[in-house]
Amino acid sequence: MQMYILFFIQKSNLCFFFLLFPFIYNLTHLPLFAQDDNIVPNPSFDITKGKVKTPGQIEISQGWQSATPAQADLFCKTSKAPEYLVPLNNFGTEDTYDGECYAGIVMEGYRGAPACTYLQSELKTPLETGKSYCIKFHISLADLSKYACNNIGLFVSQAPVTQVEISR
């Protein structure tokens, strides 16, 4: 059975976050976690099909996609566009948590700005009933965000989430 994760926010003003390093570990691997134990594919967004040149290019990061027409951004140290470089870019300064890249997501549109961007990925292995998991992700509010957001979350489903399901 396939399983997907979706990052989201509930009721916020316009704000922009960097998603730095999501991971999910099976707690049966305690006491030590290794990079290979992470069931989120490409958690540092480093494995890409090309270089970042324009906004909304999250899908060049292997295993990641947006769930809505408003595409998440990808920021990399090797970006061809200065607006999407790491650490200094159009939204401020932020280094990676791990690796060369991170994702950028807008949490709510404002005065004609793009709508929310949702980011999702299929897990490497399905979650198993009766097992405990550590779910963790690192985020950072962009320096130039006018507002901050709360209620940031993660949703696990058996199929990719679509625009129609988010609108409900």
Side-chain angles (χ1 to χ4, degrees), residues 83-143:
E83 304 86 19
Y84 299 97
L85 276 171
V86 171
L88 181 62
N89 54 58
N90 273 6
F91 297 96
T93 303
E94 185 68 49
D95 210 346
T96 60
Y97 178 81
D98 181 63
E100 302 289 314
C101 302
Y102 52 73
I105 50 179
V106 174
M107 294 304 181
E108 188 165 320
Y110 178 74
R111 293 188 184 188
C116 298
T117 51
Y118 295 82
L119 187 59
Q120 65 183 348
S121 181
E122 181 180 346
L123 297 177
K124 291 180 193 174
T125 60
L127 302 179
E128 297 177 38
T129 303
K131 291 194 176 178
S132 296
Y133 293 86
C134 171
I135 299 176
K136 185 174 180 180
F137 52 95
H138 298 270
I139 61 169
S140 176
L141 180 64
D143 294 340

Side-chain angles (χ1 to χ4, degrees), residues 6-12 15-19 105 107 137-141 148-155:
L6 173 78
F7 295 93
F8 70 93
I9 190 155
Q10 297 173 338
K11 297 184 179 180
S12 70
C15 56
F16 190 87
F17 279 96
F18 298 123
L19 179 64
I105 50 179
M107 294 304 181
F137 52 95
H138 298 270
I139 61 169
S140 176
L141 180 64
C149 308
N150 59 2
N151 298 322
I152 297 170
L154 179 133
F155 176 73

Side-chain angles (χ1 to χ4, degrees), residues 32-100:
L32 299 174
F33 295 122
Q35 178 82 8
D36 294 343
D37 292 335
N38 191 349
I39 63 173
V40 175
N42 194 14
S44 56
F45 305 95
D46 287 352
I47 304 168
T48 61
K49 300 169 268 181
K51 304 239 185 241
V52 180
K53 299 174 187 165
T54 60
Q57 285 197 286
I58 191 61
E59 296 192 11
I60 69 168
S61 181
Q62 185 176 313
W64 290 96
Q65 63 185 19
S66 291
T68 61
Q71 299 287 300
D73 295 318
L74 183 63
F75 296 81
C76 294
K77 292 178 180 179
T78 59
S79 173
K80 293 273 189 193
E83 304 86 19
Y84 299 97
L85 276 171
V86 171
L88 181 62
N89 54 58
N90 273 6
F91 297 96
T93 303
E94 185 68 49
D95 210 346
T96 60
Y97 178 81
D98 181 63
E100 302 289 314

